[in-house]
Amino acid sequence: MCGSEGPRWGWGHHAPGPTLLLSVLVSAAPLGLLGEETRQVSLEVIPNRLGPPQNLLHIRAVGTSSTLHYVWGTTGPPAALLVATSTPHSTLAVNWSLLLSPEPDGGLTVLPTDSIRFSSALVFTRLFEFDSTNTSEVSAKPPGKPYAPYSLAEFSWNNISDFLDPATLSATFRGHPIHDPTGAFANGSLAFRVQAFPSSGRPAQAPRLLHSADTCQLEVALLGARPRGNRSVFGLEVVTLGQGPDCPSMQEQRSIDDEYAPAVFQLNQLLWGSLPSGFVQWRPVAFSQRQRGRDSALPCRTSTLHPTLEYPLPQSAIVRAFFGSQANFCALNLTFGASTGPGYWDENYLSWSMLLGVGTPPVDSLSPLILGIMAVALGAPGLMLLAGGVFLLLGQKQCSEYQPIN
Ligand SMILES: *[C@@H]1O[C@H](CO)[C@@H](O)[C@H](O)[C@H]1NC(C)=O
Ligand SMILES: *[C@@H]1O[C@H](CO)[C@@H](O)[C@H](O)[C@H]1NC(C)=O
Ligand SMILES: *[C@@H]1O[C@H](CO)[C@@H](O)[C@H](O)[C@H]1NC(C)=O
Ligand SMILES: *[C@@H]1O[C@H](CO)[C@@H](O)[C@H](O)[C@H]1NC(C)=O
Ligand SMILES: *[C@@H]1O[C@H](CO)[C@@H](O)[C@H](O)[C@H]1NC(C)=O
Ligand SMILES: *[C@@H]1O[C@H](CO)[C@@H](O)[C@H](O)[C@H]1NC(C)=O
């Protein structure tokens, strides 16, 4: 009598099975179930009292048993270090005379060194510009005839002390080329806005990347710079630390939910090791207007990651100071937009966002809107199925209570 003769539900093959429904419910579970954590975040500019002033920003995010250190600097091209330690008490030590010397190795350390569980770095080396006028193919690589790139090592940056916003835990590095013979940047700048988070959430502005306390967001914006052509497509070269001889791995994740980023069903990830390790995450979309939406969304294309041994790249003093001269680097190119559709030419504006963090990258759960649509689509059969499942479970439980007697 145990269930075998119980009610036969006639769902057949056309209704979602309990497994599907269950997996939908699990993936819709609030992020809290995946280990929500909060951190005490502080921003600090580390002054160089002895020599020439430098921009060095230290973001410290302290949890109950770990500390994340993000170090952003513009000594050389803009760069970020990410160091995760297994103690809430680790500290950053800077030896300026070493850091600014030709051999900066050891100029930056996180103490105690044996508490370091993960460390890596990102360097933003060059801003590319292409003339896409004659490029009809949307996915052409490169997206047009290249102009001479801007080396970000030869930019001058604002004083980061004046652009800290403790209220939002953010800071903005704003720079323009030191030598600008054509005056292209007379009214323009390239900005790197970094923001840390005490807990998980999602910003109000697209692409609305889901963040956690273990991540830091970077928003890169080019604004007001005069393009060199009518159809200029811009790109950014990003350099990262390899693992031994290999480059980090790149992943594309599909998402069925596009509520938070218009028509973008994909999430790109760069992973520095097997999970959980460090990661960079972004949606392949940039925006050509401050008002970010479908109308201003540009595709963001990513090249493969290559070791940079073949060509010289500007060195970041802070990366060299922390990792020494033995580190291997890998580079990737991002390009924003194509010859058709919205572009930088709309408003001389371009923005793109990414997350840098440690642990398991945040995963989008289904949004309430999508859940609502699914509930309507599944409708009554879905609800009955759910009720049926509960009924069956209860039934089995009753049976098992009787089994010992049999
Ligand atoms: C930024 O301003 C502070 C205070 O005004 C000053 O001490 C520091 O040297 C400046 N830094 C840079 C990079 O100019
Ligand atoms: C910084 O490094 C130099 C060179 O290694 C060393 O002589 C100096 O004592 C260090 N300064 C501090 C404050 O540790
Ligand atoms: C685009 O094509 C036209 C006609 O073939 C040519 O005159 C022009 O120089 C080309 N422009 C670029 C940027 O290649
Ligand atoms: C910069 O802005 C000023 C005032 O808006 C304008 O007169 C000037 O032409 C602009 N310069 C460039 C290079 O765009
Ligand atoms: C840009 O467009 C204008 C007007 O359409 C045209 O006169 C000019 O030659 C174009 N410039 C380039 C570099 O293609
Ligand atoms: C990035 O683009 C530049 C210029 O087009 C090229 O020299 C470089 O090899 C590219 N790097 C990668 C990793 O594709």
Side-chain angles (χ1 to χ4, degrees), residues 131 133-134 145:
D131 179 359
T133 312
N134 287 349
K145 195 163 62 68

Side-chain angles (χ1 to χ4, degrees), residues 92-217:
L92 176 74
V94 183
N95 181 330
W96 278 106
S97 57
L98 209 49
L99 178 62
L100 297 179
S101 74
E103 299 283 329
D105 308 27
L108 269 183
T109 41
V110 168
L111 301 170
T113 42
D114 62 4
S115 70
I116 296 176
R117 291 293 170 269
F118 175 79
S119 59
S120 198
L122 288 179
V123 188
F124 299 87
T125 40
R126 293 191 284 179
L127 176 69
F128 296 121
E129 183 175 355
F130 304 92
D131 179 359
S132 72
T133 312
N134 287 349
T135 314
S136 48
E137 195 175 337
V138 169
S139 59
K141 283 178 194 171
K145 195 163 62 68
Y147 295 100
Y150 295 102
S151 170
L152 301 189
E154 288 149 32
F155 267 46
S156 95
W157 301 91
N158 61 352
N159 188 335
I160 193 64
S161 311
D162 303 331
F163 291 84
L164 282 187
D165 184 1
T168 57
L169 302 175
S170 68
T172 306
F173 295 89
R174 200 176 284 281
H176 56 83
I178 297 170
H179 307 290
D180 187 18
T182 63
F185 277 80
N187 290 333
S189 65
L190 180 67
F192 289 79
R193 179 175 185 265
V194 303
Q195 183 174 21
F197 308 100
S199 61
S200 62
R202 196 190 291 278
Q205 276 228 311
R208 307 202 63 197
L209 284 167
L210 183 65
H211 59 248
S212 71
D214 296 342
T215 62
C216 175
Q217 180 174 271

Side-chain angles (χ1 to χ4, degrees), residues 52-116:
Q54 301 288 333
N55 272 338
L56 191 64
L57 173 70
H58 177 209
I59 301 177
R60 193 160 177 265
V62 184
T64 47
S65 62
S66 65
T67 307
L68 303 181
H69 300 269
Y70 301 95
V71 184
W72 291 85
T74 53
T75 304
L81 297 181
L82 166 55
V83 183
T85 66
S86 59
T87 159
H89 306 296
S90 57
T91 55
L92 176 74
V94 183
N95 181 330
W96 278 106
S97 57
L98 209 49
L99 178 62
L100 297 179
S101 74
E103 299 283 329
D105 308 27
L108 269 183
T109 41
V110 168
L111 301 170
T113 42
D114 62 4
S115 70
I116 296 176

